[in-house]
Amino acid sequence: MSTTENKSVEITKGINGLEKVILREIHGSSVEVYLYGAHVTSWKNDQGEELLFVSSKAIFKPPKPIRGGIPICFPQFSNLGPLEAHGFSRNRVWTIDLDPPAFPPNVNVTNRVYVDLLLKPTEEDLKIWPHSFEYRLRVTLGPAGDLMLTSRIRNTDGKPFTFTFAYHTYFSVSDISEVRVEGLETLDYLDNLKNRERYTEQGDAITFESEIDKIYLSTPTKIAILDHEKKRTFVVRKDGLPDAVVWNPWDKKAKAMADFGDDEYKHMLCVEAAAIEKPITLKPGEEWKGRQELSAVPSSYCSGQLDPNKVLQSS
């Protein structure tokens, strides 16, 4: 955890008394992350605008996962395995590392504020998924208000284990019918609405007029979400996460979810940096790192114009 005169990290109580950490950056942007699930529930720019979607009906009460923000899917994405959907890390209480490792020397840490959260399996977890691990999540708020999530998962077991993973990010959008996603055109995807059959994306961008639930494969390190009405573009940069899930439940599914408002599908879009098609295997002592960096820029940008030289900053 980092705090200096210019930076701020506050540990406080959130909804239903659940503990959360608030990161505040000197120019006014902020992030909130609950220890329950290591779940980012708020990311605001320097104007105080909320950039993530959290349902007005979200249930902040264990063991129910929080609907919205950035749930972490580990050690299993969706129903691709024996565990509950999306694994168990999003409904466990994580701990704060009060003495985290420093950033690498090549990283400019000026005006960065961050917190490290840790998860290790309980006896109960080991009964349902018999593998010892240490999961370190670093949540970093950068000087331009960008949000970086860095996951380090280490095998502390005596045998290899395999997992799938996703940052299940819910972006706040003005109107789903006004949004387009660039960077995934011409790619192959698995359609979750059609038994995960494999198809090739035909459009020059992804637009939305009905339910969508697709896993795009071998995706670029950068994806852009253009919100025409808000004149804003979200840029997702990712490393170690070859896949990308695009999801919106649309009207019928929205009505069927108890923790989701009937019309809220119009104001959210999930674009998830993920590792699904080729599960990750860690041998004893090995560590995997998966990182996503989110930024919001004026929408004169589109994915083809973004500076290809701006690579993910190491953390």
Side-chain angles (χ1 to χ4, degrees), residues 6-270:
N6 294 335
K7 303 173 186 177
S8 172
V9 178
E10 179 190 354
I11 303 168
T12 184
K13 290 273 195 281
I15 296 170
N16 291 335
L18 295 174
E19 271 198 301
K20 68 178 179 179
V21 181
I22 305 173
L23 307 178
R24 291 188 184 88
E25 194 275 325
I26 189 170
H27 300 104
S29 56
S30 67
V31 166
E32 295 185 11
V33 53
Y34 275 75
L35 299 195
Y36 177 58
H39 197 128
V40 175
T41 54
S42 174
W43 170 40
K44 291 179 179 173
N45 64 15
D46 54 8
Q47 306 296 309
E49 293 175 295
E50 182 57 67
L51 302 173
L52 298 177
F53 165 88
V54 174
S55 174
S56 62
K57 296 191 170 182
I59 299 162
F60 284 75
K61 199 170 180 183
K64 184 78 177 168
I66 299 165
R67 173 70 67 188
I70 311 179
I72 288 169
C73 305
F74 171 83
Q76 177 184 303
F77 176 78
S78 185
N79 61 354
L80 291 166
L83 301 173
E84 60 191 291
H86 291 326
F88 53 75
S89 63
R90 63 182 186 154
N91 52 17
R92 296 294 185 268
V93 177
W94 296 49
T95 56
I96 299 172
D97 185 352
L98 297 172
D99 187 25
F103 281 98
N106 61 332
V107 175
N108 180 3
V109 295
T110 309
N111 293 334
R112 281 187 178 217
V113 58
Y114 68 95
V115 65
D116 278 23
L117 300 179
L118 296 174
L119 181 68
K120 295 177 184 178
T122 64
E123 292 296 319
E124 292 303 306
D125 294 337
L126 289 168
K127 286 177 189 168
I128 59 168
W129 198 66
H131 306 290
S132 292
F133 65 88
E134 182 185 89
Y135 185 156
R136 175 183 297 274
L137 176 73
R138 176 165 292 184
V139 181
T140 305
L141 187 58
D146 48 320
L147 169 59
M148 200 180 323
L149 299 180
T150 306
S151 291
R152 294 177 183 273
I153 296 167
R154 192 159 56 88
N155 182 342
T156 56
D157 210 282
K159 57 188 182 295
F161 63 71
T162 298
F163 63 90
T164 47
F165 180 92
Y167 291 116
H168 197 321
T169 308
Y170 289 72
F171 292 95
S172 173
V173 299
S174 55
D175 179 346
I176 188 65
S177 61
E178 298 283 330
V179 172
R180 54 191 279 144
V181 175
E182 295 188 358
L184 303 176
E185 49 280 355
T186 75
L187 297 181
D188 283 5
Y189 63 86
L190 307 177
D191 194 333
N192 288 322
L193 303 178
K194 297 179 179 174
N195 297 317
R196 298 202 174 99
E197 283 185 41
R198 192 178 184 117
Y199 297 90
T200 302
E201 184 59 53
Q202 301 298 328
D204 60 350
I206 300 167
T207 55
F208 303 93
E209 50 200 31
S210 60
E211 182 185 357
I212 183 171
D213 190 355
K214 297 176 178 178
I215 303 167
Y216 288 85
L217 309 172
S218 303
T219 59
T221 55
K222 188 169 56 198
I223 301 164
I225 303 159
L226 286 70
D227 188 338
H228 180 69
E229 207 166 291
K230 280 195 174 160
K231 297 183 168 55
R232 174 189 293 147
T233 295
F234 290 111
V235 184
V236 181
R237 291 184 179 85
K238 57 193 183 60
D239 187 33
L241 297 159
D243 305 320
V245 181
V246 179
W247 179 68
N248 183 292
W250 222 252
D251 53 349
K252 284 193 182 128
K253 285 251 173 88
K255 288 187 172 75
M257 290 190 281
D259 60 348
F260 194 91
D262 288 358
D263 291 327
E264 287 184 330
Y265 73 92
K266 295 175 182 173
H267 306 296
M268 56 71 67
L269 175 63
C270 286

